Amino acid sequence: MASGVDELLDMLYGMIEEAKNVPLSSDKCIIERDRALDLLDDLKAQFPVELSEAQKLVASRADYIASTKREADLIRQQAEEKAKQMIAEDQVLNAARQKSNEMLRLAEERSRELKKAANDYCEDALKRTEEAVAEAYDEIKKSRIRFRAAAGGVPAAPSGQSRVYDAEADED
């Protein structure tokens, strides 16, 4: 006995092909009714099994497609979340870079201001020191002249020339 629908159909096809023609007709033939009916009964019996297997395959295919679609959706969703996360991280990084650049610019600007203020202060302090030293020098020169005049009439040195006080010469 045949085991599958294909085999049963092949047997039925073979039976019809080998059948004798009806006299005076080329498109009609004579086949064994009982044998043909048995083959058709076997086909009917096989169809539910074959149909059930085909339905199982279709259902399995549908489940597989649904499963792969869910997996693809999950992968797509994860990729979108990862992209959003990377964009957010990139935005945070850009904001940090901008903040860092701004802080660096402000620090450099403040450094220039402090350097200028320190230079101005030093320049002013040196100028005042120079003026104070010049005043002190002038005062020393005046005091020397007064001292010489008080010490015995040693003539004052003409302007632009300096004389050194000689204590031994005063003792004579």
Side-chain angles (χ1 to χ4, degrees), residues 27-39:
D27 60 341
K28 294 182 183 176
C29 65
I30 300 173
I31 59 170
E32 285 183 51
R33 180 189 310 252
D34 288 339
R35 189 167 167 226
L37 289 174
D38 286 342
L39 284 174

Side-chain angles (χ1 to χ4, degrees), residues 123-134:
E123 179 67 29
D124 185 53
L126 288 172
K127 182 180 177 186
R128 284 181 291 156
T129 302
E130 182 182 18
E131 289 170 355
V133 167

Side-chain angles (χ1 to χ4, degrees), residues 42-61:
D42 288 345
L43 273 171
K44 270 174 96 175
Q46 285 293 321
F47 266 127
V49 172
E50 294 280 330
L51 214 58
S52 172
E53 286 180 23
Q55 287 172 340
K56 286 179 187 176
L57 282 173
V58 168
S60 173
R61 179 180 168 266

Side-chain angles (χ1 to χ4, degrees), residues 11-164:
M11 288 173 64
L12 186 58
Y13 184 77
M15 178 191 284
I16 294 171
E17 212 173 50
E18 294 171 8
K20 295 180 184 177
N21 287 341
V22 174
L24 304 173
S25 175
S26 64
D27 60 341
K28 294 182 183 176
C29 65
I30 300 173
I31 59 170
E32 285 183 51
R33 180 189 310 252
D34 288 339
R35 189 167 167 226
L37 289 174
D38 286 342
L39 284 174
L40 288 172
D41 286 341
D42 288 345
L43 273 171
K44 270 174 96 175
Q46 285 293 321
F47 266 127
V49 172
E50 294 280 330
L51 214 58
S52 172
E53 286 180 23
Q55 287 172 340
K56 286 179 187 176
L57 282 173
V58 168
S60 173
R61 179 180 168 266
D63 288 346
Y64 178 75
I65 289 171
S67 171
T68 55
K69 187 174 188 274
R70 283 191 303 272
E71 188 175 336
D73 287 344
L74 180 64
I75 290 170
R76 182 186 47 78
Q77 183 181 14
Q78 288 173 343
E80 287 174 354
E81 288 174 8
K82 182 71 174 175
K84 287 178 185 175
Q85 179 184 5
M86 290 173 71
I87 288 170
E89 288 174 0
D90 192 42
Q91 289 173 342
V92 167
L93 184 60
N94 285 339
R97 280 187 185 137
Q98 288 176 349
K99 183 73 173 174
S100 171
N101 289 339
E102 180 65 18
M103 290 173 69
L104 186 60
R105 186 188 64 76
L106 289 174
E108 288 172 348
E109 185 177 309
R110 181 72 176 137
S111 172
R112 282 190 298 274
E113 290 172 0
L114 289 173
K115 185 177 179 181
K116 184 181 181 317
N119 287 342
D120 290 347
Y121 175 78
C122 286
E123 179 67 29
D124 185 53
L126 288 172
K127 182 180 177 186
R128 284 181 291 156
T129 302
E130 182 182 18
E131 289 170 355
V133 167
E135 285 178 23
Y137 180 68
D138 287 344
E139 187 61 38
I140 290 171
K141 282 180 16 182
K142 290 177 186 174
S143 293
R144 270 182 76 200
I145 291 171
R146 284 193 306 265
F147 174 72
R148 284 187 188 149
V154 178
S159 292
Q161 293 182 357
S162 74
R163 288 183 59 190
V164 178

